[in-house]
Amino acid sequence: MTTRRRVVGWLAGTLSLLLAAGTVSAHGGSLAGGGRESITVPTWLFLSTGGAAVGASFLLASFVTDRSFIERIHDWGAPLSVSDSRLPVLGARAVGLAGYVTVLGIGFFGPTTPQTNLAILLVWVGWWAGLAMTTYLIGNTWRLLNPLDTIALALPSLERDYPARVGAWPSVVGLLALIWLEVVSPLADDPRLLATAIVGYSVLTLSGAVVFGRETWFAEADPVERVFRYYGRVAPIGRADSGLRLRLPGMDLSTPRLVDGRDEVAFIVALLWGTTFDGLVTTPAFTDLTTPLVEAGLPPQLLYPIALAAGFGLFLGAYWLAVRLSRRAADTYLDETDLAERFAPPLLAIAAGYHFAHYLGYFLVLAPALWVTLLSPLSDPGAVPVYEPPGWFGSVGIAAVVVGHLVAIWVAHAAAYETFPSRLQAVRSQYPFIAVMVFYTMTSLWVITRPEVSLPYL
Amino acid sequence: MTDDYDVPENAEAHECRYCGRPFAREEWLALHRGLDHPAQLDDDEIAAFRAAHEAEESALGNFRLRALGALVVIYFCLLMIYALV
Ligand SMILES: [Zn+2]
């Protein structure tokens, strides 16, 4: 059976690539927890290996040319039976509300040491690291947990018409604003400030939900809901027409019409750029590059928003350039927006891979502290236990980045097969996107191999 | 699917008579008809699909050879660089 032989060959090739990436990662240092070590292979070689791994996986994927086999992989799965009981939903909403009240209460009145403050640990370790990881590894639960959604249920709604032209753009701006706030402000160190920021975000969100209706607001404008919804599409458990459905991780990303319009494409690129920006600002190169600008009279407060917007523009510009080139390479009459929508969702697998690489170590190191403070939220124990990850732990991060790319390449391959009648046309359409993925990968790998310095001008 | 098309002026377009999707090449239209509307085709269209499919298979064979060559080049380049550095 040729298909099976091809698959075995493909798997073997992928495995040897993974092993190659693993050897590099032995020098690659730890991604997580911010402790970046210098690597023993030269940076240019490390970066080229990463880029070559992406290119080689694309070539390997292109050996799979059996349409029905690709369809079988993507349709594999089963509907999950869900009980009709309202109890799990109510329970989830209660847990979300309890977490929200705890974060605000402990944030305003708890201990001020960040390492022992439950609000800080619950938001950054439990929610932004832990819950986000379960979202793309298992399934999206934020839809039910979201306490603001639960509160909005009890509020009246004016049901004003949400302007269709605005679409997802508020969530794009909101996501960039959240990334900026997370990077420049001591939200991870100052519980009072964190609680204040959450109150501000809650007021904004609840007003939006009251004016435009709860469902519209969370579906369109709320950046947090959208981040979790998009991460959830990578997960093996997702929503189908009737209830929940189990499928292979990432395979939902090739579904047509998953992303609609330029605004939603921009959101996916913003999500990917956010994970990169986080690390970029702490590289020595960022300080070197921005020092002349500030000395020339650029106000330091403007530096970070400008850098954030410029990098986002660069990432988005690279993506749209790839779309234009792909349209030419495939010689297709589908319009640009259509192609952009088709090939943006695979990038979510890459974003999830980076998130996992970035936050798994952080989560494991601080999870014991979260547990201890959860048991006694109001006392300040002074010192909390932390977990020391073993030395090989850095390779887990690199492996996550590699796996994210492999899934993205496979899903884009499948989406191209579904879009174009000719299989060679489908392969050609992917050249520009693979170039963009290589660019994103090398940027991110470059960032994680730089020594970490403190943020300039803050 | 409600795809949007953007056919440049004076460009040759072969439109699908079942769904209206335009293609730049006739073989792509033949393949599309066979893949997306298999139950509706007449005998000529079935023959056109078979011919286009066969041509595609042999082109894919060529492509696989070139892809394999590229993989081998990538692999040995990296191997040599790692041996030298
Ligand atoms: Zn058609």
Side-chain angles (χ1 to χ4, degrees), chain B residues 16-21 23 29 32-33 36-37:
Chain B
C16 173
R17 68 181 171 113
Y18 304 105
C19 67
R21 180 170 167 183
F23 293 92
L29 170 60
H32 159 79
R33 280 190 306 236
D36 288 9
H37 319 285

Side-chain angles (χ1 to χ4, degrees), chain A residues 39-205:
Chain A
I39 54 171
T40 51
V41 280
T43 307
W44 63 266
L45 183 54
F46 180 61
L47 298 188
S48 330
T49 310
V54 174
S57 349
F58 163 68
L59 289 173
L60 286 169
S62 74
F63 278 92
V64 185
T65 52
D66 186 337
R67 280 183 185 273
S68 58
F69 172 71
I70 295 175
E71 270 168 36
R72 273 209 303 284
I73 295 263
H74 280 256
D75 295 342
W76 186 89
L80 295 175
S81 57
V82 193
S83 71
D84 289 333
S85 158
R86 293 268 305 148
L87 217 58
V89 176
L90 288 178
R93 286 193 183 277
V95 168
L97 266 186
Y100 182 70
V101 172
T102 311
V103 165
L104 288 186
I106 304 290
F108 280 122
F109 307 108
T112 50
T113 337
Q115 289 82 13
T116 58
N117 184 286
L118 181 61
I120 295 269
L121 292 169
L122 206 56
V123 167
W124 295 112
V125 181
W127 178 74
W128 185 233
L131 189 69
M133 284 194 280
T134 66
T135 304
Y136 49 73
L137 293 177
I138 304 169
N140 179 16
T141 47
W142 180 244
R143 204 168 53 81
L144 298 176
L145 288 170
N146 188 352
L148 295 177
D149 187 71
T150 307
I151 296 172
L153 271 177
L155 295 178
S157 167
L158 305 176
E159 294 291 347
R160 289 280 157 76
D161 277 341
Y162 185 82
R165 212 160 41 83
V166 172
W169 287 114
S171 66
V172 177
V173 176
L175 179 65
L176 290 173
L178 286 177
I179 294 167
W180 169 74
L181 202 67
E182 191 221 317
V183 167
V184 301
S185 70
L187 279 186
D189 301 322
D190 186 343
R192 309 283 186 262
L193 189 69
L194 177 69
T196 314
I198 292 175
V199 169
Y201 165 71
S202 306
V203 170
L204 189 77
T205 304

Side-chain angles (χ1 to χ4, degrees), chain A residues 6 16 20 24 41-42 44-46 48-49 52-53 55-60 62-63 65 67 256-257 327 330-336 338 342 417-425 427-428 431, chain B residues 1-8 11-14 21-25 27-33 35-36 53 55-57 59-60 63-71 74-75 78 81-82 85:
Chain A
R6 255 180 250 144
S16 59
V24 175
V41 280
W44 63 266
L45 183 54
F46 180 61
S48 330
T49 310
S57 349
F58 163 68
L59 289 173
L60 286 169
S62 74
F63 278 92
T65 52
R67 280 183 185 273
R257 302 279 142 196
R327 196 162 172 269
D331 199 6
T332 177
Y333 292 146
L334 291 174
D335 77 352
E336 278 178 9
D338 234 58
R342 262 341 275 271
Y417 264 46
E418 217 176 294
T419 312
F420 301 111
S422 157
R423 290 173 281 177
L424 273 177
Q425 187 188 17
V427 169
R428 266 189 223 118
Y431 292 156
Chain B
M1 284 252 288
T2 51
D3 285 324
D4 298 311
Y5 309 116
D6 180 5
V7 185
E12 202 184 348
H14 306 272
R21 180 170 167 183
F23 293 92
R25 299 186 195 167
E27 343 45 298
W28 293 349
L29 170 60
L31 285 172
H32 159 79
R33 280 190 306 236
L35 290 169
D36 288 9
H53 188 77
E56 192 198 19
E57 282 291 346
L60 273 174
F63 169 78
R64 268 186 223 118
L65 276 181
R66 273 178 285 142
L68 190 65
L71 268 177
I74 293 178
Y75 184 73
L78 280 178
I81 296 172
Y82 272 98
V85 175

Side-chain angles (χ1 to χ4, degrees), chain A residues 278-297:
Chain A
D278 226 13
L280 184 71
V281 290
T282 59
T283 61
F286 184 76
T287 311
D288 296 344
L289 198 72
T290 50
T291 305
L293 291 176
V294 174
E295 278 167 3

